[in-house]
Amino acid sequence: MFFWTTKRKRYLQTIRDAVETYPGGLLFAHSDGRIILANRRMNELFNELVGHTIMNAKVGWQELTKVRRDYPMSFNIDYLRIGEQYKESIYFEMDDKHIWRFTWKDITIENDSFRQGVADDVTEQYRLGEKLYQNTLRTRELHARQKKLLKEITKVNLDKELLQAKMRVHDKFG
């Protein structure tokens, strides 16, 4: 029995170490919101945004949603959503100018329901997304300009052909 307890403690410590070394925020909770495991980074982010560490996943999500309305640098970004694996996402720009995405999803393991919360630093994706968005706007402007130029070229060519036809008629009939 002692061996099993020691082995189990080692497994649990390994899991805890893996969760703590994750560079973003990570949280697992029961379906009713009771926290099973939350790493230090998730608690630090919550503390910065809400003013305290996370005590309940459901209440914490509600608090983040409320903070989003009042927080000057919160937003929703569709182009950062990769697939539909996360149905709920909130983005915050922190004081250090890093963009954090908080996502929540329900997971089921052997007929038990849990909530998984993840906070990822998506600053680089956000900056690249901004550049891509600006490039798309420039491309649209260039496309519109190109269309306008094409219409003008077509009009000039038609006018030129009409003028040549008039000159031929004038030359033939005097």
Side-chain angles (χ1 to χ4, degrees):
M1 189 66 177
F2 174 74
F3 174 73
W4 171 247
T5 308
T6 306
K7 194 173 184 180
R8 186 166 187 249
K9 284 182 182 177
R10 242 184 307 152
Y11 285 141
L12 293 175
Q13 187 58 43
T14 303
I15 291 168
R16 182 72 184 171
D17 291 344
V19 169
E20 280 300 327
T21 56
Y22 181 71
L26 191 57
L27 171 144
F28 294 97
H30 293 283
S31 58
D32 64 359
R34 289 177 294 134
I35 303 293
I36 298 169
L37 185 63
N39 71 355
R40 186 178 306 124
R41 189 67 181 138
M42 181 64 90
N43 279 315
E44 289 170 353
L45 291 167
F46 254 86
N47 193 32
E48 187 174 339
L49 291 168
V50 181
H52 59 81
T53 59
I54 188 164
M55 303 296 191
N56 182 296
K58 282 188 173 184
V59 174
W61 180 255
Q62 291 168 353
E63 288 175 326
L64 276 182
T65 305
K66 182 183 180 304
V67 167
R68 184 186 67 170
R69 287 185 223 123
D70 304 329
Y71 198 75
M73 300 303 272
S74 70
F75 39 85
N76 290 323
I77 310 168
D78 290 330
Y79 56 77
L80 282 183
R81 207 175 269 190
I82 301 167
E84 283 299 318
Q85 63 179 345
Y86 296 109
K87 297 207 182 326
E88 303 172 282
S89 298
I90 299 176
Y91 299 85
F92 291 95
E93 183 173 353
M94 304 303 223
D95 293 336
D96 62 0
K97 301 298 182 201
H98 281 254
I99 310 291
W100 286 86
R101 175 182 59 196
F102 288 83
T103 53
W104 301 86
K105 73 177 183 176
D106 295 317
I107 55 176
T108 304
I109 301 171
E110 295 179 4
N111 296 327
D112 287 332
S113 294
F114 300 96
R115 297 270 292 166
Q116 175 185 340
V118 179
D120 290 311
D121 185 350
V122 293
T123 307
E124 186 175 344
Q125 292 97 320
Y126 174 75
R127 303 289 182 235
L128 290 172
E130 275 185 327
K131 285 181 183 177
L132 182 62
Y133 180 71
Q134 294 302 323
N135 287 341
T136 302
L137 291 178
R138 275 197 301 267
T139 303
R140 286 181 184 165
E141 289 172 9
L142 289 172
H143 182 68
R145 184 173 170 222
Q146 205 172 31
K147 266 178 113 172
K148 184 179 174 186
L149 285 173
L150 186 60
K151 281 183 182 179
E152 287 182 26
I153 289 171
T154 305
K155 185 179 182 283
V156 166
N157 283 340
L158 284 173
D159 289 346
K160 186 177 175 182
E161 286 178 21
L162 186 60
L163 181 62
Q164 286 176 351
K166 284 181 181 179
M167 286 172 52
R168 278 193 308 268
V169 168
H170 180 68
D171 288 346
K172 270 192 175 177
F173 296 109

